[in-house]
Amino acid sequence: MAKVEINIINKKTITPPMVPPLEKFSSVLDKPSRTRTSGNRATQTPNDFLITTELVEWAAKQSIKINLDLETEKFLNHHRAKNSKFSCWQSAWRNWMLRAEAYAEEKKLRQPPPPVNSNQLDWDDTSWRLDLGL
């Protein structure tokens, strides 16, 4: 039978890995990150967000027929309440408007037909009973 060796490690003999002093990395730590600059940082909802002429022209080009002022107010209220952060608020606004237009179209499709004028109804018609098997 083969002899099995078991290595028992004494915790007192283990040395922690060597950590170099921070002075060697001070030049690296002081540099700004290459991946994020202050130009593309996400910010909270701006207090002075305005619908520019470019945004209005974009909405016209996209055939957006909803009320831009009302939807912009909804957009800003929603993102202020959620404390949302975006790097480009104009892009977020455009996405909101595209979705709002799509929701408005869906809502039109889901609405029931307008009520029939009760003067045109034949109140004596009981043919509907045949559908029930009566």
Side-chain angles (χ1 to χ4, degrees), residues 11-109:
K11 290 182 181 180
K12 292 181 182 179
T13 60
I14 298 175
T15 57
M18 187 179 132
V19 179
L22 287 178
E23 293 84 36
K24 289 186 178 182
F25 297 106
S26 63
S27 61
V28 175
L29 294 174
D30 294 338
K31 290 182 183 177
S33 171
R34 284 188 279 162
T35 58
R36 289 193 97 169
T37 61
S38 61
N40 65 358
R41 238 183 219 169
T43 60
Q44 291 180 334
T45 313
N47 291 330
D48 58 346
F49 185 85
L50 297 174
I51 304 173
T52 63
T53 55
E54 288 112 14
L55 292 176
V56 173
E57 289 170 1
W58 173 87
K61 193 177 191 181
Q62 297 295 322
S63 301
I64 294 182
K65 300 170 198 79
I66 57 172
N67 183 339
L68 294 180
D69 291 327
L70 177 64
E71 281 300 321
T72 299
E73 187 173 347
K74 289 179 186 180
F75 165 76
L76 293 172
N77 287 339
H78 172 81
H79 289 296
R80 284 183 182 128
K82 297 286 186 180
N83 200 17
S84 301
K85 293 182 181 181
F86 291 110
S87 58
C88 181
W89 280 93
Q90 288 78 17
S91 295
W93 181 88
R94 286 191 293 268
N95 284 333
W96 182 282
M97 294 304 146
L98 289 171
R99 287 189 194 109
E101 182 67 27
Y103 293 148
E105 291 297 322
E106 287 176 21
K107 188 176 180 181
K108 285 179 189 175
L109 296 175

